[in-house]
Amino acid sequence: MVGTDSGLLAPVWAGTEVSEIVTDEAWVVAMVEVEVALARAQAELGVIPAEAAAAIGEAVAELDVVDLAVKARGGANPVVAFVTAFTACVPGEAAEYVHRGSTSQDILDSAAMLITSRAFALIDRDLVNTAEALARLADRYRDAVMAGRTLTQHAVPVTFGLKAAGWLTLVVDALSRLRAVVLPAQLGGAAGTLASYVEYSGDPGHGPRLSAEFARRLGLVEAVVPWHALRTPYADIGGVCSIITGALGKIALDVQGMSRTEVAEVVEPSAEGRGVSSAMPQKRNPVLATLVMSAARQVPLQATILTQSMIAEDERAPGAWHAEWQPLREILRLTGGAAATAAELAAGLEVFPDRLRENLAITGGTIVSERLNVALAPVLGKAEAKKLLGRLSREPDFAEALRAAPELSSVDVDALLDPAGYLGATDALIERALAYHREVVGH
Amino acid sequence: MVGTDSGLLAPVWAGTEVSEIVTDEAWVVAMVEVEVALARAQAELGVIPAEAAAAIGEAVAELDVVDLAVKARGGANPVVAFVTAFTACVPGEAAEYVHRGSTSQDILDSAAMLITSRAFALIDRDLVNTAEALARLADRYRDAVMAGRTLTQHAVPVTFGLKAAGWLTLVVDALSRLRAVVLPAQLGGAAGTLASYVEYSGDPGHGPRLSAEFARRLGLVEAVVPWHALRTPYADIGGVCSIITGALGKIALDVQGMSRTEVAEVVEPSAEGRGVSSAMPQKRNPVLATLVMSAARQVPLQATILTQSMIAEDERAPGAWHAEWQPLREILRLTGGAAATAAELAAGLEVFPDRLRENLAITGGTIVSERLNVALAPVLGKAEAKKLLGRLSREPDFAEALRAAPELSSVDVDALLDPAGYLGATDALIERALAYHREVVGH
Amino acid sequence: MVGTDSGLLAPVWAGTEVSEIVTDEAWVVAMVEVEVALARAQAELGVIPAEAAAAIGEAVAELDVVDLAVKARGGANPVVAFVTAFTACVPGEAAEYVHRGSTSQDILDSAAMLITSRAFALIDRDLVNTAEALARLADRYRDAVMAGRTLTQHAVPVTFGLKAAGWLTLVVDALSRLRAVVLPAQLGGAAGTLASYVEYSGDPGHGPRLSAEFARRLGLVEAVVPWHALRTPYADIGGVCSIITGALGKIALDVQGMSRTEVAEVVEPSAEGRGVSSAMPQKRNPVLATLVMSAARQVPLQATILTQSMIAEDERAPGAWHAEWQPLREILRLTGGAAATAAELAAGLEVFPDRLRENLAITGGTIVSERLNVALAPVLGKAEAKKLLGRLSREPDFAEALRAAPELSSVDVDALLDPAGYLGATDALIERALAYHREVVGH
Amino acid sequence: MVGTDSGLLAPVWAGTEVSEIVTDEAWVVAMVEVEVALARAQAELGVIPAEAAAAIGEAVAELDVVDLAVKARGGANPVVAFVTAFTACVPGEAAEYVHRGSTSQDILDSAAMLITSRAFALIDRDLVNTAEALARLADRYRDAVMAGRTLTQHAVPVTFGLKAAGWLTLVVDALSRLRAVVLPAQLGGAAGTLASYVEYSGDPGHGPRLSAEFARRLGLVEAVVPWHALRTPYADIGGVCSIITGALGKIALDVQGMSRTEVAEVVEPSAEGRGVSSAMPQKRNPVLATLVMSAARQVPLQATILTQSMIAEDERAPGAWHAEWQPLREILRLTGGAAATAAELAAGLEVFPDRLRENLAITGGTIVSERLNVALAPVLGKAEAKKLLGRLSREPDFAEALRAAPELSSVDVDALLDPAGYLGATDALIERALAYHREVVGH
C-alpha cells in the first residue's frame, strides 16, 4: 500500500471538478496522450509507420498507478516505469515505436501543461462566474451606504456596491493575467537539442517540424526552445495562481469580517448542512469564505517553490525539477477549488442594507466628520472649525450637539450629516469597474 | 470520484513507510482512536458508562473516506461528517456517548498529533541510521585527503572524513531538535474552556482531570491550555522538519557535486534499475540525492504556511487552522521520505580515495599555497615570500618551480607540498563530531 | 552615495533600541571586536606577541562604512575590505598580526552571532515585559465574561482573563524557545580545518584550544566543528524569530478585532499623536497592533531564506551564505521592534468589561445554547430538548420564549442563561498559564 | 540615532545605481513629487489657486529623514509626519493647500510606484544589456561543442551557443514580463471614494478628472478604481522580480558550475581586486555569479510577502499594507543589483572552447551512446545493438572497442563518435532564440 490522499484534509477542493483533473490517474492519462501525440506527429512526418501510430493511439492502457508511483523511486521520476508499462499495452510491432527518441522530461512536462490547461479552463469559467455575480452585486447595491473601514475603524461612508466593484476589479485583474499565461509543449530529447528525434528521422531539419506538430496536436504552444531547465512556464503558473487566490482571499476576508456576529452585514448562501454546528444551533459559520481562505493561505508558498525552481542546474536539474510536480498539482487544485467556492459564495451572498445603515450610525455622525471639516472651514475659518468639531465630537450626542451649536445656525447640519451625501465619485467608480469587467470578459 | 494522490508525483515518499502513516485512511483511524480515548477517559472519570466506552472502543468503523472528504465541505472540516458516520457504527445506546461534549478541533488536532508522533518515530529511526552511517564514513575516511572547496574553487586540503563529520553534526543537530518537540493533545470544547465536558460531569474540577487522562491515553503531552488558536505545536513541527530536510539537503547537494562526471569522487549505492537511462547506458544518476533534494526544496515553504497560521483570529480561526492540515501531511511525508532515502544513501555511499587525491592534484600544488605563505615568511620575509609565490604560481609547473627556486634551497619543498601535511585540526574535529553524535544519540 | 535605509519604511523598528544594534556601523564594530578577540586569544596561547594583541585591541578604528559597502562587491563580502582598512588603523608591527590565519567567514559569522546575542537580550527583556503585562491582564480580568468567537461567530462564553492567559502561553512558549537557541562562534580558517591557525602556532593541538579561547572571549558558545557550510545556527535564529512574531501577531490580530468600531472591547494605550487622523478626528487606530502585524507578516518569509541556506555547497557556499546577512538583520530588527511594541501594547491595553458584557448579550442568550442542550436533555429527553431549542431560537426573544415554555417550568432558565455560569475550567486554565509563566520566566 | 543600512550586508546592490533610487531620502523626494503633482492637478482643475500650486512646487523641502522615520511610529506610517514637515517648508498661504483632501496611502502608494518605475527603467536597461551579451555568446559559440549535463552527468553533446541561447530566452521572457507590468497612481481619499477631493471641488464629476490629471503628471497609469486594499500592482511587481532574478540565478548557477576547478570551462571577467583571496593566491572566485545568486535566493521570498498582502481587510488594511514597503524596496534593489551584476558578467564572460572539448572527451565517447543506439539498431537489430553497446561500454577504451568490434566493420565508427555530428536541431534552436530576442527587444 502507498499513501493516498482523496481530499479529506482539503475540503476546499474535495469533490470539486478540478480535483478529478489532477489525480494520479489523470496524470497517467495525460502521459498516454502525450506519447500518442508524439507517435502521431512522427507518423505525420513519416518517421514511424502510420499503423504504429494508430496502434499506439488505440492501445488500451490499464496501468497500475500505485505500482508506477513506487517504481518511480528508481529513476526519481515516474516516466521510466510508465513507458515500460505503457509499451507493454501496445500490441505487436507498434510497441517498438513508443516513446521513440524521447526523454522523461518531454513526457512529464507536456503532460503537466495539458493538465494545467484543463484546470485553467475550469478556473477561467469559475472566475467569469464570480465576476458576473460581483458585477450584479456592484450594480444592485450601488447606493447601499455603509461604513468604510480603515485600520479597523469607521472612516467615511462607502456603498456596498463600491466594495463589490473593488472585489470585481481584483477578479478581473486575475482573469486577465490568467489568460495571458502561455502553456508550451516540451520537446527536447536528452539534453534539449532534439538530437535523438532528428537522428531517427535522418533529416537535419526535422527537429522544429516535429516540435510544431507535436505542440499542435496537444493544443499547446510551441516553445521557443526546449525548456527543461528554463522554467518560466512553471513560474508563470505559480504567479498567476497566487494572484487569483490573493484576489479571492481578499473577498473572503471581507465576507468574514462582515459576517462577524457584531457586524452581521452579510451572510453566506445557505445549504443543507452547511456551516451549522450540532452543539451550537445558533451558529451559521462563513464556511465558503473559510474554504477560500484555506487555499489563499497556501498557494503563494507553494508557488514560491515553483519560482525558486527556475534556479536549475545545467541542461536538466537534479532536484529543482523534481520539486515542481506536487506543488503544481496542489496549486491547481487549491486554486480551482477556491474559484469554484468563490463563485458559489458570490452568487448567493446575502446583503442586509438595513444593517449596513444601522452600523453606519453607531458612531453618531462622526463618520462624516471629514466632510464637516471641509464644509465648515469656509464658514468658521479652518482653525475655528476644527476646534469646534473636536469639542462637539466629545459630546454624548454629536448630531444633537451640532444642531444646537449657535455657530452652525446657518448651516444645514442634517444635510451634512447624511452619509449618502458624502460618497464622492462612488457611482463613477462603480461604472468604471463594470466597464473594466465588460472589456476583459467581453460581454 | 474525487481526486486521489498515491505519490506518483512524489517519488521521495512513494511507497515508503511514512506514506502509509499519513493517508486519509490513517487520519480517519486516528480520529477513531481519539474518540475512543475520549470515551474511555470519560468512563474512567465516571462521566459516561464503562459499557458505553467499551462499545465505542470495540466499534467496527467501516467508513468511506471519499464520502467523508466530499462532505467535509459542508462544515469546512471533515470531523462533522466523520462523527455522524462513526456514531452510526457504534451499536445501541453507546452511540449516545460518542464525541460527548467535544468539538471538531479537539478531534482533528489530537489526531494530527498522534499521526505526527508516529511519523516522528520513523524519522527519528532513519536519522539515527543516517547518523550512524555518516559516523562510519567519518571514521573510515578520516585520512582520505581531498580538495576543500570554497566558492566552487579548490581552497585548501580537507579529508573526506571531515566532510562526513560535518554532515554528521548537521544530522545530530536535527535529531536533537526533533527530540525536543512537544506534541500535545488538544482538548478544549467549543471555545477552549472545557465547559461542555465540565457540564456533562457536573463537577467544576473535572476539566483538568479529563485533559490529563485523555492525553495520557493518547501518549501525548497535556497542553498548558487548549491551543485551538495558540499554534506553537504546528510551528514547532514545521520548524524542525525544515531543519531536518535542510541538513539532508546539504548532504545531497554535496553528493551531487562530488558525483559530477568531471569530479567523480563518490557514487550512490547501486540497485536494480536505479539511476539508469535506457537511451544513455553510460549514465548513473545520483537518484537518491535527487529525491532528497526534491523534498528539501519543498519543506521549508510548506512549513512557512504552518508558522504563518500562528496569526489566528479569536478562539478558533476561520482559515488559518484549515490551511494547516494538508501542509502538515505533506511535511511529514516529505521529511519522512527524505530521511528514509538519506539513510539508504549514507549507508551505501561509495567513496573513491584515489580519485580524491587525483582531483586534489589538478591545481599542481597551489592548493597548499596558503601554507607556503605561512611557512616561507620567516625564511624570506613576508613581502618577499608573497612576491615569490605569486611569480612561481604562474609557472606551468608550480611544484617544479618551487623546487628549482634558489631562494628555497634550504626548505623541504616536497614536505610542504604534501596536502596531507596541511590538515590542521582535522582529526580532532572528527573526534568532536563523533563525540557529539554519541552524546545525543547515546551509544 | 550608496543606498541608505534609516527605517522610514519600517516604523515597527524605527527608533527602537534594536535598530541601533544591527546598523552597518554596529556590524563593523562587531567585526573589530572579533578581530580583537582573535588576536587576544592568539596572544594568550603564545602565538602572537602580547603587545601586538594589546595594540590591536586599542586601535582606533575609524572606518568609512559606505566605502566598505561598495568595496564589498570585489570579494562578494565586506570582510576583505574591512580587514585592509582595519589593519591600516593598527600602528606599527602589530598590524602584521591582524586577522592572522583567518578567513572572511570566521569574522563575519562570529560578528553576526555577537550582534544576534545582543538583539536577543533586548528581545528577551521585551518578551518578559510583555508576558508580565499579560499575566496581570489574565489575573485582573479572569472573571470578565465575554463572547468566545469561533469562525467569526459567537460560540460560548469565555473571559478576557482566559484570552490573555492564552496570549501569555504563546509568549512564554516563544521565550522558552528563544532561550534554548545556541549561538556559536565561528573559527575554521579557509576550509574549516583550522590549518592556518595551527600552522602559525606550529602546534598540532592548537586548533581546539584557540577555538575555545576565542569563543570564551566573545561570550559565545564553542561550536562542535566549524560551521561555514553547516548552518543550523542561522536556521535556529530564523525559526525562533518566526515563532516570536507569530505569537505577537496573534495578540495583535485579536486586539485589532476587538478594536473594531462595532466591537469596541479594547483600546490601545494612547500617546501624544498616536493613531490619530488629521482629517477624521473621530478615529483612534490600533497603531501598535498594526506595527506588530507588519513585522509578523514579514519575519517568517525572511526566516525561510535562512532555512533554505542550509542547503549549501562544499566547504563554503557561493550564494547561500551571502543571502543570509541582510535577512538576518531584517529578522532581528523586525522581531526586536515587534517585541518592544508588543510590550508597550500589553502594558497599556485598556479593556472595557461592560462592553464585553454588552456584546455577549447581542445574541439574546443563544450563546449558551450548547449548555441548554446539555442541561435539558435529562429533563426532556435528548431529541425533544433539541427540537424545542431549535424552535425557540427562532423566536424574536429567545430568553423570553424559554421562560414562557411550559416544558421548562421546572427549570431555572435564568440561571442557565447566565453566561458566567458556563465557563467550565476557565479559572483553572488561567492558573495553569500563570504557573507556566512563573516556571519559565522564574519569578 | 536610528538604524542605518548602507548596503554593507548586501554587496549585490551596494553602490549600484538602483541603490540610490530606493533610499529613504529618495522616498521622501518622491513623496514631495506626489504632493506637488496633486497640488498642480488641483490647480489645473481650478480647485486650488495656481499660485499655491506653484509655491508648493517650488518649496525647498529640507526634511530630516531620521526624524520622520522615528515619528512614523505614531501613525504606523511615515506620511503623517512627512506632511507636517513638508507643509512647514511651504511659505505663506500656499501651505493651506498642501495635501488637500488627501490620505496617507494616496501619497505613499503613488510614491512607491514612482520609485518602482525608476528602478524598472534601470532593470530594463540592464536586462537589455545582458540579453545582448548573451545573444553575442550564443552566436559566437554556436559550434563550440560541449557536454550536455543532466542530473549532474554527461548526457549528450550540446554547444555553448545553445546554452547561452537558453539563458537568452529566459532573460527575454523576464524582459517581456517586466514590460507588461502596469504601475498605477493611487488616488482615493480616506476610503477610496474620492469624497474629500470632490467635496473641496464642489463638483460631483471632479473625482475621475482629478485622478486622470494626477496620474498623467506622475507619468503613471490611472487605476480603474482606487486600490488601497486591491493590491494587484504590488503582487505584479513581486512576481516579475522573482522571474527576473530566477532567470539571472539560473545563469549564475551554470556559471558557477562551469567555473568549478575540475570543470574550468568559463571564467568571470576579471577586475582589480575581484574574486581574489589574500591567503590563497591561486583562487579566482566566481564573485559576480555569487552576488547574483545572493539576490536570486532572497527575492522570491520577499515577493511572497507582497503576494500575501493581497489578503487585506476592508477599505484599508491594518498590517498587510504596512508589511509591503520594506520588502518592495528590498526587491527593487536586489533585482536591480542582480541585473547590473549579470550584465557585467554576461558582457565579460570568458569561455574556453578547448576545455569544453576536453571535458566532453572524458567519458571516452559514451556521451554519444544514445546516437550509437539509434544508428546500430538497423544494422544489428535493436536488441543485439543494445547488448553490444552495453558490453563494449564496460571496456577500458570504449572507442577502441567499438572500432575493433567485427560486428561494426561496416560502420564508420569515428564519424558516429564525433560529438559535433550529434547536435540535432541546435543551430535552428539558437536561431529561434535570437529571433525571439529581436522580436521582444526590438532590434
Side-chain angles (χ1 to χ4, degrees), chain D residues 378-393:
Chain D
V379 183
L380 302 179
K382 199 176 173 181
E384 196 58 34
K386 199 171 174 179
K387 219 166 96 186
L388 179 69
L389 285 170
R391 181 163 56 79
L392 298 182
S393 74

Side-chain angles (χ1 to χ4, degrees), chain B residues 423-440:
Chain B
L423 290 170
T426 291
D427 210 61
L429 294 171
I430 293 171
E431 282 309 318
R432 289 168 67 126
L434 294 173
Y436 177 48
H437 173 226
R438 284 190 302 270
E439 179 197 323
V440 170

Side-chain angles (χ1 to χ4, degrees), chain B residues 103-395:
Chain B
T103 195
S104 296
Q105 197 167 352
D106 287 352
I107 306 308
L108 203 57
D109 277 345
S110 295
M113 291 303 107
L114 259 191
I115 282 174
T116 301
S117 71
R118 287 161 191 169
F120 273 17
L122 290 180
I123 295 169
D124 189 298
R125 181 201 64 191
D126 288 334
L127 290 182
V128 166
N129 289 343
T130 305
E132 229 156 85
L134 295 175
R136 279 194 302 270
L137 289 171
D139 183 49
R140 180 168 170 194
Y141 295 106
R142 64 170 68 218
D143 302 322
V145 189
M146 66 179 286
R149 299 174 175 104
T150 63
L151 280 84
T152 76
Q153 302 299 298
H154 283 198
V156 296
V158 300
T159 74
F160 185 77
L162 181 61
K163 182 178 280 279
W167 295 346
L168 173 64
T169 61
L170 272 186
V171 173
V172 175
D173 283 351
L175 249 178
S176 72
R177 279 151 188 78
L178 177 68
R179 292 178 175 181
V181 172
V182 168
L183 300 177
Q186 177 69 280
L187 201 79
T193 62
L194 294 158
S196 48
Y197 300 116
V198 169
E199 194 77 9
Y200 274 111
S201 78
D203 168 5
H206 175 69
R209 282 201 299 276
L210 182 64
S211 290
E213 179 62 18
F214 174 71
R216 193 188 63 76
R217 284 181 175 271
L218 289 171
L220 297 170
V221 169
E222 191 190 355
V224 175
V225 296
W227 49 283
H228 294 148
L230 310 168
R231 308 302 282 175
T232 314
Y234 273 81
D236 280 344
I237 295 166
V240 78
C241 288
S242 296
I243 284 181
I244 293 168
T245 53
L248 303 179
K250 192 278 186 276
I251 299 172
L253 190 60
D254 279 353
V255 167
Q256 290 181 338
M258 297 174 80
S259 298
R260 288 192 158 270
T261 303
E262 289 83 1
V263 182
E265 295 173 343
V266 300
V267 73
E268 292 199 346
S270 60
E272 175 66 26
R274 177 188 293 151
V276 298
S277 163
S278 58
M280 298 175 284
Q282 85 281 11
K283 287 197 78 180
R284 184 140 157 227
N285 290 325
V287 167
L288 299 176
T290 297
L291 292 172
V292 170
M293 193 62 70
S294 76
R297 295 179 76 110
Q298 293 181 63
V299 168
L301 280 306
Q302 303 273 7
T304 305
I305 300 173
L306 300 189
T307 313
Q308 292 184 321
S309 282
M310 288 188 75
I311 308 180
E313 298 93 336
D314 303 326
E315 275 59 67
R316 283 164 60 199
W321 177 48
H322 307 75
E324 290 170 349
W325 316 325
Q326 189 77 351
L328 174 66
R329 163 164 41 202
E330 207 66 47
I331 286 167
L332 293 177
R333 59 191 182 186
L334 286 169
T335 305
T341 308
E344 191 177 354
L345 173 59
L349 188 71
E350 288 182 64
V351 182
F352 305 120
D354 291 349
R355 182 70 184 194
L356 296 176
R357 281 226 163 242
E358 281 169 44
N359 285 339
L360 187 62
I362 62 179
T363 57
T366 59
I367 197 160
V368 293
S369 60
E370 185 190 62
R371 182 192 205 186
L372 294 166
N373 241 351
V374 175
L376 299 184
V379 183
L380 303 178
K382 197 176 173 180
E384 194 57 35
K386 196 171 179 181
K387 218 166 97 187
L388 178 67
L389 285 170
R391 181 160 57 76
L392 298 182
S393 74
R394 286 188 295 275
E395 297 287 317

